[in-house]
Amino acid sequence: GLGDVYKRQVRATCAIGTNHVCGLMSDYLQRLRERRTRGRAEMPSSGSAVSAKKTESQRILSIPVRTYHDITPGEITRSLAKPGCGFELRLIQEAALTAIKECRGGFFPIGVGHGKSFIACLAASVLECDFAIIFAPASTVRQLQEQYDDLRAHFRLVPARIMSYATLSQPKGTTLLTELVETYSADKVVLVCDEAHRLKRLESARTKRIIRFMRANPKVSFVALSGTMTSKSLRDFSHLAELCLRDNS
């Protein structure tokens, strides 16, 4: 409220001069202090609002925290590798796959070049799923499919359908996800979204369809990966974090 008032005043008067704008800032800060002081005075010592905030804080603080020190290097590689495997997963890949196994999903803003495609391909295997749906930008679908085919020679991989986000945006995308999983048990399916920032717009058709599908199939696991998960706001990914981690978000 006050912030919007201040912005409007600045837009209307910034041409007058710096001193006037600084005066507006001082006036804004003074009103903000008064509002906060008044709010503290009016705040009840107990009640549902305070209790809800405390409960939410306690929930967040109780979420387990994991670091690289909790990871046994090579453990995931050994559990998924076929005899004669020629690959050794990176520590960050081991950590991500361990978290996916523990949380039945995962939200990973992992930087470019750290091996997110391996995580995407192996997520279903650590979850012991029967089927994986992997979404990626159209420009990387072919490359991801090739990596998946190469990995099959070294790791136990789950059958997967790799598609572009554009497929989900088409009219047939309305029922696409439901049709793909209708022969599987929901708790044996994982939805993996590489470059998941493509789903940051809640108003887009692809995002709406994924959210609708996940609401109808809450036992389906969800994994989101991106090197550029957000550009300016928590709103870019808060819905994705909730889909991935549910109560652990």
Side-chain angles (χ1 to χ4, degrees), residues 13 82 92 179 218 224:
T13 61
K82 291 181 177 180
I92 192 169
E179 292 171 356

Side-chain angles (χ1 to χ4, degrees), residues 7-189:
K7 290 173 186 175
R8 287 196 297 270
Q9 288 178 326
V10 169
R11 281 197 295 268
T13 61
C14 63
I16 297 175
T18 304
N19 290 336
H20 186 67
V21 174
C22 289
L24 283 173
M25 174 62 88
S26 299
D27 180 55
Y28 163 68
L29 292 175
Q30 179 60 34
R31 280 186 288 165
L32 186 59
R33 292 190 194 99
E34 293 173 356
R35 180 177 176 180
R36 286 176 175 171
T37 302
R38 186 168 61 252
R40 282 195 294 269
E42 295 171 355
M43 181 68 70
S45 58
S46 62
S48 58
V50 175
S51 178
K53 288 183 179 180
K54 185 176 180 181
T55 301
E56 178 66 0
S57 298
Q58 290 173 337
R59 183 191 70 79
I60 293 171
L61 292 172
S62 67
I63 295 174
V65 176
R66 298 289 181 263
T67 69
Y68 285 130
H69 298 296
D70 301 310
I71 305 301
T72 303
E75 183 177 6
I76 294 294
T77 300
R78 290 189 295 271
S79 67
L80 299 180
K82 291 181 177 180
C85 174
F87 281 99
E88 184 73 30
L89 295 175
R90 300 175 186 176
L91 185 59
I92 192 169
Q93 293 168 331
E94 292 259 353
L97 291 167
T98 299
I100 290 171
K101 182 178 181 179
E102 179 180 353
C103 299
R104 302 295 302 174
F107 177 80
F108 301 106
I110 297 175
V112 176
H114 290 286
K116 293 190 295 296
S117 58
F118 276 36
I119 299 170
C121 293
L122 292 169
S125 298
V126 295
L127 289 169
E128 298 182 349
C129 288
D130 295 330
F131 185 62
I133 302 172
I134 304 175
F135 282 106
S139 60
T140 65
V141 166
R142 182 176 177 180
Q143 179 184 356
L144 187 58
Q145 184 66 60
E146 290 174 351
Q147 288 184 325
Y148 175 86
D149 294 338
D150 290 341
L151 282 176
R152 291 181 65 179
H154 303 276
F155 292 96
R156 295 184 291 102
L157 292 188
V158 169
R161 177 77 178 271
I162 301 175
M163 298 178 292
S164 70
Y165 289 109
T167 305
L168 193 61
S169 299
Q170 295 171 2
K172 64 179 182 180
T174 305
T175 59
L176 175 64
L177 293 172
T178 302
E179 292 171 356
L180 285 173
V181 304
E182 60 184 0
T183 59
Y184 298 95
S185 174
D187 60 349
K188 290 294 184 178
V189 175

